[in-house]
Amino acid sequence: MKNIILTLPSGKTITTPLGTTVSEFLDYFEKKDNEILAVSVNNAIFSLNYPLLYNAKIAPVYDNTKSGAEVYRRSLCFLLAAAAHKVYPKAHLRVGHSLGYGYYYTLDTGIKITDQEINSIACEMKNMVQQDLPIKTDLISYHDAKELFSKLELTETLKQLECICTPVLAVNTLDDFSDMFFGALVKSTATLKYFDLMPYGEGFLLRFPTTSEPHKISEFKDIPELFAIYSRYKKWGKQIGVTSVASLNELINKRKINDFINISETFQTKCISNIADKISQNKNVKVILIAGPSSSGKTTSSKKLALQLQAIGYKPQLISLDDFYVGRERNPKDENGNYDYECLEALDIPYLNQLLIDLFNGKEVEMPSYDFTAGKRFFSGKKMALGKNDILIMEGIHGLNDRLTPLIAPELKFKIYLSALTQLNLNDHTRISTSDNRLIRRIVRDAQFRGKSAAATISMWSNVQKGEKLHIFPFQRNADVMLNTALDYELAVLKVYAVPLLRVITPDCPEFTEASRLLRFLDNFSPIPERDVPDRSIIREFIGGSAFKY
């Protein structure tokens, strides 16, 4: 039998017969308190029962890592789907968006799920965990997959097969239930001990551990306003008949996508118009503060809101928080000794507040600018004063934090939080991550306008998310309104730009793990050409060609 050579993280090599499964090498990895959930093979993530067929560098994927958390959550979703199918075989489970450290689910019975039904599913999940059932991944033919998913009545998964036209498909199986989960799963159910089902809305939340504490379910922190936004979009999707990627692909392939694009853009514009109307109802508002995570579309949203405000008689003026940095000499540094431009202390808060007070008191002020090369503030002679119908718009990551504007009375401020919440699912049981949506936006924008490779964007994404958790997400509840900036057709457009950027990341690059995962995800979308995107769409902020000036 042919042998292959495996290289461990320590540099040690092992010669083993071709086809040996990864699980046979767990004892060779560094012993930690954390559990190994999967393995990295040449920087791609695979299940522990994956047969090794070529020379490779292998490394463990622990449960307290980003990749490990993804494997755990994906597997937990599969366990839930299998348990729900066993307990209620005629009621179809539907996954929704994330809320805290959990995913929202409903049963498509048309009525609210009861506590008893939730408990029945939870008990079956625990029973399956105790049985330590194997989770298998098998390659089956396209024809067999269609028959299998028809029998299980997985309508969205079945529809998605029409766009995954490969002769062989990888199908996951647990007990008598099967589905496609597009990524590595744990080896067996015994690993999935940590979860909770909690009644919420018309359905329930599948709650899971945080990445840093993989053996603990954290306290639930509700954000009802965000859930209301998602529910509104989900209802809208059902009304127009597009709730999944399969439905979207069907429109694209039948050349009926333009109407959906126009409807999506019109709906988003209507939501922005409603916010402008709400602002106009409060005559005291002097400044609009807009915040949201990276690539949530803050710049375009500000410009579109400005148009809506102009339409009802306002004269918006924009203030950039970038012009209020304290300067390199005073800028705080992070734990690695690098300048921390995302912390609140990087901004000259007293100066910003005094300038706002002067403007509100009718004074003319000289506006600052910031030279990022020199790391200093400078003045170019630009003046600003507020007239009777003028209103300020400031967008930046600290907009919802009252420590940014402590001297400004609450009634003078109107706060908007942006999020990119697509209501589409990949199939019956696989959701689309808001974070993935934003990461793909940023990969495309960084390549188009900042000369950054996809690998460079991916490498700094964890630091971006760390900053969001510190400076943005804790202040969501301070918002007066929330705006969903996602467009349900955008990933089909971004795919055209992102796929070539991701494909040049080679397997010997650490970012290949994330790149290969994103490529598998984008494979599910039929492409939409750039020419179909309106010139004032938020998507233009990332792909270029916008009618707005940035």
Side-chain angles (χ1 to χ4, degrees):
M1 180 181 290
K2 182 180 178 181
N3 290 332
I4 56 174
I5 299 174
L6 305 178
T7 304
L8 302 175
S10 64
K12 180 181 177 181
T13 60
I14 302 170
T15 301
T16 187
L18 181 146
T20 307
T21 60
V22 171
S23 58
E24 297 183 39
F25 299 96
L26 299 188
D27 289 340
Y28 288 94
F29 295 133
E30 181 184 356
K31 299 294 186 294
K32 293 185 177 182
D33 293 335
N34 297 96
E35 189 172 0
I36 299 173
L37 300 185
V39 70
S40 169
V41 181
N42 291 339
N43 286 322
I45 307 299
F46 293 97
S47 301
L48 294 179
N49 52 12
Y50 177 72
L52 295 160
L53 304 174
Y54 43 82
N55 295 343
K57 293 181 178 180
I58 62 172
V61 175
Y62 293 102
D63 58 10
N64 64 337
T65 62
K66 178 179 182 292
S67 293
E70 288 172 352
V71 171
Y72 189 91
R73 294 168 191 178
R74 191 184 301 122
S75 305
L76 198 59
C77 292
F78 189 29
L79 173 65
L80 169 61
H85 174 74
K86 179 168 264 188
V87 178
Y88 300 108
K90 297 300 181 183
H92 296 113
L93 187 72
R94 295 284 185 260
V95 66
H97 75 306
S98 63
L99 192 65
Y101 287 94
Y103 299 145
Y104 179 66
Y105 281 86
T106 55
L107 290 177
D108 64 356
T109 56
I111 58 176
K112 181 178 179 179
I113 189 170
T114 65
D115 290 355
Q116 182 179 349
E117 289 170 327
I118 295 170
N119 289 335
S120 295
I121 296 172
C123 287
E124 182 56 35
M125 290 176 71
K126 292 174 183 176
N127 181 48
M128 296 175 86
V129 169
Q130 289 175 350
Q131 292 180 58
D132 192 15
L133 301 172
I135 296 177
K136 297 180 289 186
T137 301
D138 299 308
L139 296 176
I140 67 174
S141 72
Y142 180 85
H143 174 75
D144 289 346
K146 288 188 70 173
E147 282 193 353
L148 175 62
F149 297 136
S150 294
K151 181 180 178 182
L152 292 169
E153 297 183 4
L154 299 179
T155 54
E156 296 300 333
T157 303
L158 193 60
K159 284 167 63 178
Q160 187 64 358
L161 289 185
E162 296 176 9
C163 291
I164 310 175
C165 302
T166 57
V168 178
L169 295 133
V171 173
N172 308 117
T173 300
L174 171 55
D175 202 13
D176 61 349
F177 180 77
S178 298
D179 203 350
M180 296 192 300
F181 274 80
F182 307 104
L185 302 174
V186 299
K187 186 179 179 183
S188 70
T189 57
T191 304
L192 305 172
K193 296 185 289 289
Y194 307 102
F195 68 88
D196 182 41
L197 298 192
M198 170 186 155
Y200 192 89
E202 295 296 307
F204 62 92
L205 293 176
L206 169 63
R207 306 206 61 237
F208 44 75
T210 65
T211 303
S212 59
E213 294 185 291
H215 302 155
K216 176 183 176 183
I217 302 297
S218 61
E219 178 186 357
F220 176 63
K221 296 179 180 179
D222 196 7
I223 310 175
E225 299 85 358
L226 201 61
F227 181 76
I229 290 289
Y230 169 78
S231 297
R232 181 184 182 188
Y233 269 79
K234 198 69 178 176
K235 181 179 179 182
W236 172 79
K238 288 181 179 178
Q239 288 173 340
I240 62 173
V242 181
T243 59
S244 69
V245 175
S247 304
L248 178 69
N249 288 339
E250 190 173 25
L251 291 177
I252 297 170
N253 298 337
K254 291 182 177 179
R255 299 184 180 181
K256 296 181 179 180
I257 191 62
N258 286 324
D259 283 346
F260 180 69
I261 289 173
N262 291 331
I263 292 169
S264 300
E265 295 286 351
T266 301
F267 183 62
Q268 189 175 85
T269 298
K270 185 178 187 302
C271 292
I272 296 172
S273 175
N274 291 341
I275 292 174
D277 289 340
K278 190 167 184 178
I279 292 169
S280 71
Q281 292 167 11
N282 185 346
K283 302 302 180 182
N284 294 320
V285 173
K286 297 291 185 181
V287 58
I288 300 164
L289 298 152
I290 300 177
S294 175
S295 299
S296 58
K298 294 183 289 293
T299 304
T300 301
S301 297
S302 299
K303 293 180 180 297
K304 296 185 89 166
L305 177 62
L307 286 177
Q308 295 295 329
L309 290 168
Q310 288 177 55
I312 56 177
Y314 285 96
K315 294 180 180 178
Q317 297 202 53
L318 180 68
I319 287 184
S320 174
L321 287 177
D322 286 354
D323 293 330
F324 290 87
Y325 279 118
V326 294
R328 199 169 294 154
E329 291 182 358
R330 295 167 53 197
N331 203 102
K333 294 183 178 181
D334 62 20
E335 64 274 13
N336 299 316
N338 299 317
Y339 290 109
D340 185 355
Y341 293 108
E342 295 193 341
C343 68
L344 187 66
E345 291 72 21
L347 297 173
D348 194 334
I349 304 299
Y351 177 58
L352 169 65
N353 280 259
Q354 187 57 55
L355 184 142
L356 291 175
I357 290 172
D358 289 345
L359 284 170
F360 298 157
N361 288 334
K363 296 180 180 179
E364 182 181 68
V365 301
E366 185 174 9
M367 297 300 295
S369 297
Y370 191 80
D371 185 335
F372 282 90
T373 302
K376 293 182 179 180
R377 181 188 304 155
F378 71 95
F379 295 89
S380 60
K382 178 184 175 183
K383 305 282 187 177
M384 180 181 287
L386 296 182
K388 180 180 177 182
N389 295 322
D390 289 3
I391 192 167
L392 292 176
I393 298 178
M394 290 198 307
E395 58 99 347
I397 64 173
H398 298 290
L400 304 187
N401 186 347
D402 284 325
R403 290 174 57 211
L404 176 71
T405 51
L407 302 184
I408 309 305
E411 62 268 20
L412 301 182
K413 297 183 281 191
F414 190 91
K415 301 172 187 173
I416 304 173
Y417 176 75
L418 306 185
S419 187
L421 283 171
T422 180
Q423 57 91 20
L424 296 181
N425 293 331
L426 276 183
N427 55 27
D428 298 82
H429 304 130
T430 307
R431 57 181 289 277
I432 292 177
S433 162
T434 298
S435 178
D436 283 352
N437 199 146
R438 293 189 294 107
L439 174 55
I440 292 168
R441 281 181 171 186
R442 180 145 182 173
I443 287 170
V444 173
R445 185 186 66 187
D446 284 358
Q448 292 286 97
F449 304 113
R450 301 179 181 181
K452 270 190 178 181
S453 67
T457 300
I458 290 171
S459 70
M460 46 78 72
W461 187 243
S462 60
N463 286 333
V464 170
Q465 291 183 301
K466 178 182 177 182
E468 293 168 352
K469 290 177 182 177
L470 287 172
H471 306 305
I472 299 175
F473 296 148
F475 304 101
Q476 294 175 85
R477 296 175 183 82
N478 294 348
D480 294 293
V481 296
M482 294 186 174
L483 174 66
N484 184 9
T485 66
L487 291 162
D488 286 338
Y489 74 92
E490 70 176 86
L491 285 166
V493 177
L494 295 171
K495 170 182 179 171
V496 177
Y497 296 83
V499 167
L501 299 170
L502 292 167
R503 280 186 176 155
V504 300
I505 300 178
T506 58
D508 56 359
C509 179
E511 290 73 33
F512 182 79
T513 301
E514 190 73 342
S516 59
R517 185 184 68 82
L518 292 174
L519 283 169
R520 285 196 305 271
F521 167 62
L522 289 171
D523 275 345
N524 292 281
F525 293 83
S526 295
I528 295 176
E530 172 270 343
R531 65 176 178 270
D532 291 342
V533 181
D535 62 3
R536 291 187 186 274
S537 172
I538 201 166
I539 302 173
R540 291 289 179 183
E541 182 176 332
F542 307 99
I543 67 173
S546 177
F548 294 117
K549 302 298 181 184
Y550 295 104

